[in-house]
Amino acid sequence: MNKLNNETNLANISATSNTNIISTEQSRKTAEVQAAMTVAKKYPRDQNISFRNIIESCKRKTLAEKATYAYPRGGGMVVGPSIRLAEVLAQQWGNIDFGLLELDRSIGESSVMAYCWDLETNTRRTTVFQVRHIRDTRQGPKKLTDERDIYELVANMGARRMRACILNVIPADITEEALKQCALTLSTGVEPIADRCRKMVNAFTSISVTIEMLEEYLTYKLSSINEEGLNQLRSIYTSIKDGETTRDSYFTITSLPAKEARTEDDDNVVFEAEPIKSKKSRKNKKTIAEEFKKVIQGHEAAVEAYALESGWIKQGEGMGNLKEAYMQSILSQPQAFLKSIS
């Protein structure tokens, strides 16, 4: 009897200690949320940027492969956004607090809350549920006493509830577009522009063109590059690689020596390991101008407008003032260029 009473007292002391720890954690969490709400009001999200970041994240194959769950029900298949996708949506949407919070722990049971809170709009979804410290095994129910086992059980049981809370806060149309992009990523293998840009930077590094040179040429940071800028860099790289032009035609050259281009893999561009051609193999200016005129026939106005906007020619100048290097850049990928400005 005394032994039983001692075990009961020890269990009660342990439960009381855990309750005190949980109470302290709740107080800390409350202070964090209050501070986060203040910051969220001061720096509200830009929904356009948040949406773009979500779509860019969904272009990553590793996420797209884990973006949905599926299970059979009633002779059919239920499919929906996974917890991994829900977490990315909350992170990229911004100013969202979400997670699991253990409210109370008694002998053999925890009271847990899954929540998602939009700190800007004060929209909140919560679910409170009970988790018994028991794991079902083939040998029957197993009582859990180890803290790590209990933590993992609570996290697993709470994942679905947390996902539901997040998806109730994030606008439904944003979730639908994310799922569409994940499906597109898996079907086409499209990479985010940031990843393709990194590959392009590696390609330029192989011919001693630095990030600083690229950003000086573009007049903006590579982190802000768009498809048009990336296509332009592809054309320049191809021209330099093929020996049609040189680095100093586009970039302010530092002390780095020129290197021979090597094979790189970048989206729709194939960089073949061919030696750079000598200056003798370059086309003379007259031949380039004639070929350029032939290629842009029917698109003169659009090409001139693009050249003016890009700073290739000045206001009042015509295509006759376009430098040979710019002509060669267009001639390296004429179809892609004309498509981009049409």
Side-chain angles (χ1 to χ4, degrees):
M1 179 66 71
N2 289 335
K3 183 178 180 180
L4 179 61
N5 289 335
N6 288 336
E7 289 179 351
T8 302
N9 290 335
L10 288 173
N12 288 334
I13 291 172
S14 178
T16 302
S17 177
N18 286 330
T19 300
N20 291 336
I21 293 173
I22 291 169
S23 178
T24 302
E25 175 65 17
Q26 289 174 352
S27 299
R28 183 188 66 80
K29 188 65 179 177
T30 300
E32 284 183 358
V33 170
Q34 289 175 344
M37 289 184 70
T38 302
V39 173
K41 293 293 184 181
K42 188 174 181 180
Y43 302 103
R45 75 175 64 90
D46 183 320
Q47 292 193 9
N48 292 325
I49 293 177
S50 296
F51 177 71
R52 185 182 67 192
N53 290 341
I54 288 172
I55 296 301
E56 285 298 314
S57 296
C58 292
K59 290 179 181 179
R60 301 187 185 281
K61 189 176 181 180
T62 52
L63 173 62
E65 289 174 342
K66 304 174 183 176
T68 58
Y69 68 87
Y71 61 88
R73 173 179 288 180
M77 189 68 71
V78 177
V79 180
S82 68
I83 181 60
R84 298 284 83 81
L85 179 60
E87 288 173 342
V88 170
L89 292 176
Q91 291 161 2
Q92 299 296 352
W93 191 240
N95 290 334
I96 296 285
D97 183 37
F98 64 95
L100 297 172
L101 187 61
E102 190 171 12
L103 302 175
D104 185 38
R105 183 184 295 185
S106 57
I107 301 174
E109 188 176 69
S110 291
S111 179
V112 186
M113 179 178 71
Y115 68 93
C116 182
W117 195 346
D118 188 326
L119 300 171
E120 278 189 39
T121 63
N122 204 27
T123 301
R124 188 181 185 189
R125 293 291 183 273
T126 61
T127 300
V128 178
F129 57 99
Q130 306 300 316
V131 178
R132 298 176 62 195
H133 301 166
I134 294 176
R135 177 176 294 151
D136 292 327
T137 67
R138 292 182 179 180
Q139 291 74 34
K142 177 185 176 183
K143 186 176 181 180
L144 302 180
T145 56
D146 184 75
E147 282 294 323
R148 181 175 179 178
D149 290 338
I150 294 173
Y151 168 81
E152 291 177 351
L153 177 66
V154 170
N156 290 335
M157 296 292 288
R160 286 175 294 175
R161 277 95 168 179
M162 185 173 69
R163 177 187 63 210
C165 291
I166 293 173
L167 296 178
N168 273 314
V169 171
I170 301 294
D173 60 315
I174 300 296
T175 304
E176 291 174 3
E177 291 299 322
L179 288 170
K180 289 179 182 178
Q181 182 58 58
C182 287
L184 182 62
T185 299
L186 293 177
S187 63
T188 63
V190 174
E191 286 185 294
I193 191 170
D195 291 352
R196 286 180 281 146
C197 181
R198 279 193 290 271
K199 290 183 179 180
M200 182 60 67
V201 168
N202 289 337
F204 272 104
T205 300
S206 72
I207 56 173
S208 297
V209 176
T210 66
I211 292 176
E212 290 75 18
M213 294 180 192
L214 295 174
E215 290 179 342
E216 182 181 3
Y217 173 79
L218 292 170
T219 69
Y220 55 79
K221 294 288 185 181
L222 285 173
S223 57
S224 303
I225 199 167
N226 54 20
E227 292 290 347
E228 181 181 347
L230 195 59
N231 288 335
Q232 190 175 355
L233 291 182
R234 283 196 189 99
S235 299
I236 293 172
Y237 177 84
T238 303
S239 296
I240 296 174
K241 180 184 74 69
D242 290 342
E244 298 289 344
T245 187
T246 58
R247 295 179 303 154
D248 53 8
S249 298
Y250 301 96
F251 310 109
T252 302
I253 304 302
T254 62
S255 58
L256 289 174
K259 299 179 182 177
E260 182 174 300
R262 67 170 183 263
T263 303
E264 296 287 344
D265 179 21
D266 180 57
D267 199 25
N268 299 321
V269 181
V270 177
F271 299 138
E272 298 177 353
E274 297 177 355
I276 297 178
K277 299 176 182 178
S278 64
K279 292 183 178 180
K280 293 181 180 180
S281 66
R282 297 181 186 178
K283 300 175 182 178
N284 60 58
K285 188 171 183 179
K286 183 177 179 181
T287 304
I288 292 173
E290 291 174 352
E291 185 178 347
F292 176 75
K293 185 176 180 181
K294 188 182 299 182
V295 166
I296 69 169
Q297 188 173 4
H299 303 275
E300 290 87 346
V303 174
E304 185 172 340
Y306 178 87
L308 182 62
E309 184 180 349
S310 302
W312 293 0
I313 58 175
K314 297 179 181 179
Q315 190 70 38
E317 293 182 340
M319 297 307 294
N321 300 101
L322 190 64
K323 292 182 179 179
E324 177 185 349
Y326 296 131
M327 295 183 191
Q328 291 173 334
S329 175
I330 294 173
L331 290 175
S332 65
Q333 290 189 356
Q335 298 302 321
F337 174 77
L338 294 177
K339 185 178 179 181
S340 69
I341 65 172
S342 60

